[in-house]
Amino acid sequence: MALHSAGETARLLGMEDVPPVLEDNVTGRSPFLLTCDHYGRLIPRRLGDLGLPETELSRHIAWDIGIAGVAEALSGHLGAHLIAQRYSRLVIDCNRPPLAASSIPRISEATVIPGNEAMAGDEAESRRVAIFDPYHRRIREVIDRRLRDGVPTVLVSLHSFTPVYAGIIRPWHIGTLYHRDTRLPALLLKLLRAEPDLVAGDNEPYAVSAETDYTIPVHGEARGLMNTGIEIRQDLIADQSGQKQWAERLARIFGEIEAALRMQQLV
Ligand SMILES: [Zn+2]
């Protein structure tokens, strides 16, 4: 059965499809390890358009609008290793436990995803094996190597959120997301709230949980790493100039965080 599945799954990504994992600054010396679960919105060729028009496939339901540009620029400024995932969250959501109903959503916000409605028996597994597993395997390998080499590692999971969800307007410019880590998110929130022009959410617009998240619980909390999620509002980073400004601002703030953590000998 496992062999059969492996054979089937090998076919999800064909010659025309790029690998799911994208990395930048692999040899970066920063203690911050950046992840980006919703970086891209590619769809494996075999899955077509999942039955959706381009107007839906370019919306926030498909990816975290703007975060790719912020993540790459921030990785460059900090010299921080970035591990990102190129395929759409509508194919498989890399920040959901694979057994959660929202892992391969049949409906997102108010949009029905036809290509996810009637999947063959092994389709979910093939998406997991082709996209979810390699991404999380790579994060695990990188953390393993860093811990083995005694490299300080602080996990920062980068996301963006839609300014209006299901008709509700969200007032925050940026939010910290966390669950069990009481050190890093508090420090980050303090610095964000010191920025006079920002409304910073404390576990808003989302809070992290083991049921609704994967990257922070599995790679951060379970491994005992300091960690935080960051959510930036999408209208602020929709274009390149916004992405550049936010990457510069976050680089300055993370520079201050690194200095504070060094003072406390936490990195
Ligand atoms: Zn996201």
PDB file of all heavy atoms in Angstrom, residues 2-28:
ATOM      1  N   ALA A   2       1.881   1.261   0.858  1.00  0.00           N
ATOM      2  CA  ALA A   2       2.756   2.424   0.930  1.00  0.00           C
ATOM      3  C   ALA A   2       3.513   2.603  -0.390  1.00  0.00           C
ATOM      4  O   ALA A   2       3.619   3.717  -0.898  1.00  0.00           O
ATOM      5  CB  ALA A   2       3.738   2.275   2.081  1.00  0.00           C
ATOM      6  N   LEU A   3       3.952   1.475  -0.948  1.00  0.00           N
ATOM      7  CA  LEU A   3       4.695   1.561  -2.209  1.00  0.00           C
ATOM      8  C   LEU A   3       3.787   2.073  -3.321  1.00  0.00           C
ATOM      9  O   LEU A   3       4.164   2.921  -4.119  1.00  0.00           O
ATOM     10  CB  LEU A   3       5.241   0.174  -2.583  1.00  0.00           C
ATOM     11  CG  LEU A   3       6.498  -0.251  -1.839  1.00  0.00           C
ATOM     12  CD1 LEU A   3       6.850  -1.682  -2.192  1.00  0.00           C
ATOM     13  CD2 LEU A   3       7.651   0.689  -2.158  1.00  0.00           C
ATOM     14  N   HIS A   4       2.566   1.570  -3.330  1.00  0.00           N
ATOM     15  CA  HIS A   4       1.598   2.016  -4.327  1.00  0.00           C
ATOM     16  C   HIS A   4       1.396   3.533  -4.210  1.00  0.00           C
ATOM     17  O   HIS A   4       1.452   4.247  -5.199  1.00  0.00           O
ATOM     18  CB  HIS A   4       0.266   1.293  -4.103  1.00  0.00           C
ATOM     19  CG  HIS A   4      -0.877   1.891  -4.868  1.00  0.00           C
ATOM     20  ND1 HIS A   4      -1.014   1.693  -6.225  1.00  0.00           N
ATOM     21  CD2 HIS A   4      -1.895   2.688  -4.479  1.00  0.00           C
ATOM     22  CE1 HIS A   4      -2.087   2.351  -6.637  1.00  0.00           C
ATOM     23  NE2 HIS A   4      -2.646   2.956  -5.606  1.00  0.00           N
ATOM     24  N   SER A   5       1.233   4.002  -2.973  1.00  0.00           N
ATOM     25  CA  SER A   5       1.001   5.425  -2.764  1.00  0.00           C
ATOM     26  C   SER A   5       2.196   6.245  -3.210  1.00  0.00           C
ATOM     27  O   SER A   5       2.042   7.289  -3.828  1.00  0.00           O
ATOM     28  CB  SER A   5       0.717   5.709  -1.284  1.00  0.00           C
ATOM     29  OG  SER A   5      -0.460   5.033  -0.925  1.00  0.00           O
ATOM     30  N   ALA A   6       3.367   5.749  -2.902  1.00  0.00           N
ATOM     31  CA  ALA A   6       4.564   6.495  -3.284  1.00  0.00           C
ATOM     32  C   ALA A   6       4.640   6.621  -4.809  1.00  0.00           C
ATOM     33  O   ALA A   6       4.994   7.668  -5.341  1.00  0.00           O
ATOM     34  CB  ALA A   6       5.816   5.809  -2.745  1.00  0.00           C
ATOM     35  N   GLY A   7       4.264   5.539  -5.513  1.00  0.00           N
ATOM     36  CA  GLY A   7       4.275   5.590  -6.968  1.00  0.00           C
ATOM     37  C   GLY A   7       3.273   6.588  -7.503  1.00  0.00           C
ATOM     38  O   GLY A   7       3.557   7.370  -8.402  1.00  0.00           O
ATOM     39  N   GLU A   8       2.083   6.581  -6.910  1.00  0.00           N
ATOM     40  CA  GLU A   8       1.036   7.511  -7.336  1.00  0.00           C
ATOM     41  C   GLU A   8       1.458   8.951  -7.086  1.00  0.00           C
ATOM     42  O   GLU A   8       1.262   9.822  -7.909  1.00  0.00           O
ATOM     43  CB  GLU A   8      -0.253   7.234  -6.533  1.00  0.00           C
ATOM     44  CG  GLU A   8      -0.937   5.951  -6.909  1.00  0.00           C
ATOM     45  CD  GLU A   8      -1.471   5.993  -8.321  1.00  0.00           C
ATOM     46  OE1 GLU A   8      -2.256   6.901  -8.616  1.00  0.00           O
ATOM     47  OE2 GLU A   8      -1.058   5.144  -9.133  1.00  0.00           O
ATOM     48  N   THR A   9       2.017   9.159  -5.902  1.00  0.00           N
ATOM     49  CA  THR A   9       2.306  10.528  -5.498  1.00  0.00           C
ATOM     50  C   THR A   9       3.435  11.128  -6.311  1.00  0.00           C
ATOM     51  O   THR A   9       3.472  12.315  -6.517  1.00  0.00           O
ATOM     52  CB  THR A   9       2.694  10.574  -4.017  1.00  0.00           C
ATOM     53  OG1 THR A   9       3.769   9.698  -3.831  1.00  0.00           O
ATOM     54  CG2 THR A   9       1.540  10.201  -3.152  1.00  0.00           C
ATOM     55  N   ALA A  10       4.324  10.283  -6.789  1.00  0.00           N
ATOM     56  CA  ALA A  10       5.435  10.802  -7.573  1.00  0.00           C
ATOM     57  C   ALA A  10       4.897  11.543  -8.791  1.00  0.00           C
ATOM     58  O   ALA A  10       5.553  12.403  -9.335  1.00  0.00           O
ATOM     59  CB  ALA A  10       6.347   9.665  -7.996  1.00  0.00           C
ATOM     60  N   ARG A  11       3.690  11.200  -9.188  1.00  0.00           N
ATOM     61  CA  ARG A  11       3.149  11.795 -10.404  1.00  0.00           C
ATOM     62  C   ARG A  11       2.464  13.128 -10.173  1.00  0.00           C
ATOM     63  O   ARG A  11       2.089  13.775 -11.129  1.00  0.00           O
ATOM     64  CB  ARG A  11       2.174  10.818 -11.061  1.00  0.00           C
ATOM     65  CG  ARG A  11       2.898   9.797 -11.898  1.00  0.00           C
ATOM     66  CD  ARG A  11       1.939   8.895 -12.634  1.00  0.00           C
ATOM     67  NE  ARG A  11       2.042   7.542 -12.106  1.00  0.00           N
ATOM     68  CZ  ARG A  11       1.029   6.699 -12.014  1.00  0.00           C
ATOM     69  NH1 ARG A  11      -0.161   7.071 -12.382  1.00  0.00           N
ATOM     70  NH2 ARG A  11       1.216   5.504 -11.538  1.00  0.00           N
ATOM     71  N   LEU A  12       2.260  13.531  -8.938  1.00  0.00           N
ATOM     72  CA  LEU A  12       1.577  14.818  -8.745  1.00  0.00           C
ATOM     73  C   LEU A  12       2.415  15.948  -9.320  1.00  0.00           C
ATOM     74  O   LEU A  12       1.907  16.804 -10.029  1.00  0.00           O
ATOM     75  CB  LEU A  12       1.281  15.088  -7.261  1.00  0.00           C
ATOM     76  CG  LEU A  12       0.627  16.443  -7.016  1.00  0.00           C
ATOM     77  CD1 LEU A  12      -0.696  16.583  -7.750  1.00  0.00           C
ATOM     78  CD2 LEU A  12       0.425  16.703  -5.529  1.00  0.00           C
ATOM     79  N   LEU A  13       3.699  15.968  -9.001  1.00  0.00           N
ATOM     80  CA  LEU A  13       4.567  16.990  -9.576  1.00  0.00           C
ATOM     81  C   LEU A  13       5.306  16.391 -10.765  1.00  0.00           C
ATOM     82  O   LEU A  13       6.057  15.432 -10.616  1.00  0.00           O
ATOM     83  CB  LEU A  13       5.562  17.504  -8.532  1.00  0.00           C
ATOM     84  CG  LEU A  13       4.954  18.219  -7.335  1.00  0.00           C
ATOM     85  CD1 LEU A  13       6.054  18.734  -6.414  1.00  0.00           C
ATOM     86  CD2 LEU A  13       4.036  19.367  -7.747  1.00  0.00           C
ATOM     87  N   GLY A  14       5.064  16.942 -11.926  1.00  0.00           N
ATOM     88  CA  GLY A  14       5.694  16.441 -13.137  1.00  0.00           C
ATOM     89  C   GLY A  14       6.919  17.258 -13.496  1.00  0.00           C
ATOM     90  O   GLY A  14       7.383  18.111 -12.721  1.00  0.00           O
ATOM     91  N   MET A  15       7.432  17.004 -14.694  1.00  0.00           N
ATOM     92  CA  MET A  15       8.643  17.694 -15.160  1.00  0.00           C
ATOM     93  C   MET A  15       8.451  19.211 -15.221  1.00  0.00           C
ATOM     94  O   MET A  15       9.398  19.969 -15.053  1.00  0.00           O
ATOM     95  CB  MET A  15       9.027  17.183 -16.557  1.00  0.00           C
ATOM     96  CG  MET A  15       9.417  15.731 -16.613  1.00  0.00           C
ATOM     97  SD  MET A  15      10.979  15.432 -15.756  1.00  0.00           S
ATOM     98  CE  MET A  15      12.120  16.032 -17.012  1.00  0.00           C
ATOM     99  N   GLU A  16       7.207  19.647 -15.485  1.00  0.00           N
ATOM    100  CA  GLU A  16       6.967  21.091 -15.661  1.00  0.00           C
ATOM    101  C   GLU A  16       6.837  21.795 -14.312  1.00  0.00           C
ATOM    102  O   GLU A  16       6.843  23.024 -14.264  1.00  0.00           O
ATOM    103  CB  GLU A  16       5.664  21.348 -16.439  1.00  0.00           C
ATOM    104  CG  GLU A  16       5.455  20.452 -17.655  1.00  0.00           C
ATOM    105  CD  GLU A  16       4.826  19.115 -17.290  1.00  0.00           C
ATOM    106  OE1 GLU A  16       4.621  18.854 -16.078  1.00  0.00           O
ATOM    107  OE2 GLU A  16       4.549  18.323 -18.204  1.00  0.00           O
ATOM    108  N   ASP A  17       6.657  21.025 -13.250  1.00  0.00           N
ATOM    109  CA  ASP A  17       6.402  21.635 -11.942  1.00  0.00           C
ATOM    110  C   ASP A  17       7.707  21.876 -11.192  1.00  0.00           C
ATOM    111  O   ASP A  17       8.591  21.014 -11.190  1.00  0.00           O
ATOM    112  CB  ASP A  17       5.503  20.716 -11.100  1.00  0.00           C
ATOM    113  CG  ASP A  17       4.119  20.553 -11.712  1.00  0.00           C
ATOM    114  OD1 ASP A  17       3.485  21.571 -12.026  1.00  0.00           O
ATOM    115  OD2 ASP A  17       3.687  19.395 -11.874  1.00  0.00           O
ATOM    116  N   VAL A  18       7.793  23.028 -10.526  1.00  0.00           N
ATOM    117  CA  VAL A  18       9.000  23.325  -9.748  1.00  0.00           C
ATOM    118  C   VAL A  18       8.905  22.624  -8.387  1.00  0.00           C
ATOM    119  O   VAL A  18       7.813  22.276  -7.937  1.00  0.00           O
ATOM    120  CB  VAL A  18       9.192  24.849  -9.537  1.00  0.00           C
ATOM    121  CG1 VAL A  18       9.404  25.547 -10.858  1.00  0.00           C
ATOM    122  CG2 VAL A  18       8.032  25.460  -8.765  1.00  0.00           C
ATOM    123  N   PRO A  19      10.038  22.422  -7.716  1.00  0.00           N
ATOM    124  CA  PRO A  19       9.995  21.808  -6.379  1.00  0.00           C
ATOM    125  C   PRO A  19       9.242  22.719  -5.401  1.00  0.00           C
ATOM    126  O   PRO A  19       9.227  23.938  -5.577  1.00  0.00           O
ATOM    127  CB  PRO A  19      11.467  21.701  -5.984  1.00  0.00           C
ATOM    128  CG  PRO A  19      12.253  21.915  -7.224  1.00  0.00           C
ATOM    129  CD  PRO A  19      11.402  22.731  -8.147  1.00  0.00           C
ATOM    130  N   PRO A  20       8.626  22.156  -4.383  1.00  0.00           N
ATOM    131  CA  PRO A  20       7.846  22.972  -3.441  1.00  0.00           C
ATOM    132  C   PRO A  20       8.686  23.879  -2.552  1.00  0.00           C
ATOM    133  O   PRO A  20       8.241  24.946  -2.157  1.00  0.00           O
ATOM    134  CB  PRO A  20       7.099  21.943  -2.587  1.00  0.00           C
ATOM    135  CG  PRO A  20       7.884  20.679  -2.726  1.00  0.00           C
ATOM    136  CD  PRO A  20       8.508  20.713  -4.077  1.00  0.00           C
ATOM    137  N   VAL A  21       9.912  23.456  -2.258  1.00  0.00           N
ATOM    138  CA  VAL A  21      10.702  24.197  -1.267  1.00  0.00           C
ATOM    139  C   VAL A  21      11.594  25.224  -1.950  1.00  0.00           C
ATOM    140  O   VAL A  21      12.301  24.909  -2.907  1.00  0.00           O
ATOM    141  CB  VAL A  21      11.584  23.236  -0.434  1.00  0.00           C
ATOM    142  CG1 VAL A  21      12.380  24.011   0.621  1.00  0.00           C
ATOM    143  CG2 VAL A  21      10.725  22.174   0.228  1.00  0.00           C
ATOM    144  N   LEU A  22      11.545  26.434  -1.453  1.00  0.00           N
ATOM    145  CA  LEU A  22      12.436  27.504  -1.902  1.00  0.00           C
ATOM    146  C   LEU A  22      13.242  27.952  -0.696  1.00  0.00           C
ATOM    147  O   LEU A  22      12.697  28.117   0.397  1.00  0.00           O
ATOM    148  CB  LEU A  22      11.605  28.670  -2.440  1.00  0.00           C
ATOM    149  CG  LEU A  22      12.354  29.941  -2.848  1.00  0.00           C
ATOM    150  CD1 LEU A  22      11.655  30.581  -4.047  1.00  0.00           C
ATOM    151  CD2 LEU A  22      12.426  30.954  -1.708  1.00  0.00           C
ATOM    152  N   GLU A  23      14.553  28.149  -0.900  1.00  0.00           N
ATOM    153  CA  GLU A  23      15.398  28.599   0.214  1.00  0.00           C
ATOM    154  C   GLU A  23      16.233  29.793  -0.201  1.00  0.00           C
ATOM    155  O   GLU A  23      16.590  29.945  -1.371  1.00  0.00           O
ATOM    156  CB  GLU A  23      16.316  27.471   0.674  1.00  0.00           C
ATOM    157  CG  GLU A  23      15.547  26.331   1.290  1.00  0.00           C
ATOM    158  CD  GLU A  23      16.466  25.267   1.863  1.00  0.00           C
ATOM    159  OE1 GLU A  23      17.031  25.484   2.935  1.00  0.00           O
ATOM    160  OE2 GLU A  23      16.623  24.229   1.196  1.00  0.00           O
ATOM    161  N   ASP A  24      16.531  30.611   0.777  1.00  0.00           N
ATOM    162  CA  ASP A  24      17.360  31.782   0.536  1.00  0.00           C
ATOM    163  C   ASP A  24      18.306  31.927   1.728  1.00  0.00           C
ATOM    164  O   ASP A  24      17.957  31.548   2.851  1.00  0.00           O
ATOM    165  CB  ASP A  24      16.451  33.022   0.422  1.00  0.00           C
ATOM    166  CG  ASP A  24      17.012  34.046  -0.550  1.00  0.00           C
ATOM    167  OD1 ASP A  24      18.191  33.920  -0.933  1.00  0.00           O
ATOM    168  OD2 ASP A  24      16.278  34.969  -0.921  1.00  0.00           O
ATOM    169  N   ASN A  25      19.488  32.472   1.475  1.00  0.00           N
ATOM    170  CA  ASN A  25      20.474  32.697   2.543  1.00  0.00           C
ATOM    171  C   ASN A  25      20.700  31.456   3.407  1.00  0.00           C
ATOM    172  O   ASN A  25      20.673  31.532   4.637  1.00  0.00           O
ATOM    173  CB  ASN A  25      20.053  33.888   3.407  1.00  0.00           C
ATOM    174  CG  ASN A  25      20.230  35.199   2.658  1.00  0.00           C
ATOM    175  OD1 ASN A  25      21.325  35.529   2.228  1.00  0.00           O
ATOM    176  ND2 ASN A  25      19.138  35.917   2.467  1.00  0.00           N
ATOM    177  N   VAL A  26      20.933  30.352   2.729  1.00  0.00           N
ATOM    178  CA  VAL A  26      21.083  29.062   3.418  1.00  0.00           C
ATOM    179  C   VAL A  26      22.244  29.088   4.416  1.00  0.00           C
ATOM    180  O   VAL A  26      22.208  28.426   5.453  1.00  0.00           O
ATOM    181  CB  VAL A  26      21.292  27.947   2.357  1.00  0.00           C
ATOM    182  CG1 VAL A  26      21.609  26.618   3.000  1.00  0.00           C
ATOM    183  CG2 VAL A  26      20.049  27.834   1.491  1.00  0.00           C
ATOM    184  N   THR A  27      23.276  29.870   4.101  1.00  0.00           N
ATOM    185  CA  THR A  27      24.430  29.927   5.007  1.00  0.00           C
ATOM    186  C   THR A  27      24.382  31.165   5.906  1.00  0.00           C
ATOM    187  O   THR A  27      25.382  31.518   6.537  1.00  0.00           O
ATOM    188  CB  THR A  27      25.744  29.923   4.209  1.00  0.00           C
ATOM    189  OG1 THR A  27      25.721  31.038   3.297  1.00  0.00           O
ATOM    190  CG2 THR A  27      25.914  28.647   3.421  1.00  0.00           C
ATOM    191  N   GLY A  28      23.231  31.821   5.948  1.00  0.00           N
ATOM    192  CA  GLY A  28      23.095  33.023   6.776  1.00  0.00           C
ATOM    193  C   GLY A  28      23.406  32.733   8.241  1.00  0.00           C
ATOM    194  O   GLY A  28      23.100  31.655   8.750  1.00  0.00           O
TER     195      GLY A  28
END
